[in-house]
Amino acid sequence: MAEAKGRLLCIDMVLDDKTPLPPLAAGEFCYLQLRMLCELIALSSLLAHGDVPGARSNTLRGAWTADQIIAAMGRLHAHFYPRPFTKREEGGEINFDEMLATEYLTKDELPRLYALCGNILHRGSLGSLFSGKAAKPNRSEVGMWRFKIGNLLSVHLIELFDMHTQYLCDINDYGRGGRIEMAVMNLNRPLRTPS
């Protein structure tokens, strides 16, 4: 999570015009960070779900593309993807509310973002280069994806395969020195039935 937090901060620096990079290189740098974040989310999901029998296969452990890992994990455990929450304090109590799907990077959006980043980071064919149809960085698009990934990771819950164990991770707790905090919760009964 520390690496993900650092990559989000790198995108923020570009969006806040705090880098000496020329615009095209700055945009490509952001798409590289977005692509790496997709890979980190996929690999972290795989790591967190080591309790899923199929997640320990050599094929999946050797996979490195985010879209392949996300698809395989979805077949193994329907609830593997992080669930983002907002955190609020009321009367000395901390409460969490689940975020709406429109506010974060969903499991279905991640492979699309991963492919988009690949298209922008590769020059393409001679035909696309000379036709002017090669994909180009888009600053507002970068900002939108950064927002969605930031929301996904800021405070998120991961439900393990047994549906009793959950990890709660908070990467943006700036009030406590910016530390990444994690809690492991074991429920007496699962919140939902495994599928």
Side-chain angles (χ1 to χ4, degrees):
M1 287 296 103
E3 182 179 341
K5 188 172 184 176
R7 290 185 183 282
L8 289 168
L9 290 173
C10 285
I11 295 171
D12 292 344
M13 288 176 64
V14 171
L15 294 177
D16 292 340
D17 295 319
K18 293 182 178 173
T19 67
L21 296 171
L24 181 62
E28 291 167 346
F29 175 77
C30 287
Y31 281 93
L32 175 62
Q33 301 314 308
L34 291 171
R35 187 168 169 99
M36 295 299 285
L37 283 159
C38 288
E39 290 179 7
L40 284 171
I41 293 166
L43 289 168
S44 297
S45 295
L46 179 59
L47 179 64
H49 293 288
D51 64 327
V52 179
R56 292 181 290 236
S57 74
N58 287 338
T59 302
L60 196 47
R61 292 253 175 205
W64 58 271
T65 60
D67 50 354
Q68 289 177 333
I69 295 170
I70 293 295
M73 287 302 302
R75 290 188 296 271
L76 296 173
H77 175 35
H79 305 294
F80 81 93
Y81 198 72
R83 290 174 41 211
F85 287 79
T86 56
K87 181 171 76 172
R88 58 187 162 77
E89 291 192 39
E90 291 177 353
E93 228 178 68
I94 297 176
N95 295 290
F96 297 93
D97 298 307
E98 194 159 2
M99 209 174 273
L100 299 174
T102 56
E103 298 173 345
Y104 67 90
L105 183 71
T106 66
K107 178 175 56 173
D108 293 335
E109 288 175 324
L110 190 144
R112 291 197 308 263
L113 173 58
Y114 189 68
L116 170 69
C117 292
N119 289 340
I120 289 173
L121 293 172
H122 298 288
R123 296 304 299 162
S125 68
L126 281 177
S128 65
L129 184 65
F130 290 122
S131 71
K133 293 183 181 176
K136 294 181 180 94
N138 178 315
R139 188 181 179 94
S140 64
E141 184 178 63
V142 166
M144 185 261 306
W145 289 119
R146 188 268 176 247
F147 173 78
K148 286 185 151 219
I149 293 172
N151 280 350
L152 172 67
L153 298 179
S154 181
V155 177
H156 63 275
L157 182 81
I158 297 171
E159 293 178 88
L160 297 192
F161 190 62
D162 68 8
M163 301 303 284
H164 290 274
T165 309
Q166 299 180 332
Y167 298 144
L168 180 66
C169 185
D170 182 350
I171 72 166
N172 287 327
D173 201 350
Y174 296 110
R176 298 185 183 178
R179 292 184 314 212
I180 296 169
E181 298 186 332
M182 189 163 168
V184 178
M185 300 176 288
N186 289 301
L187 307 173
N188 291 331
R189 58 185 172 81
L191 293 177
R192 34 184 176 194
T193 57
S195 49

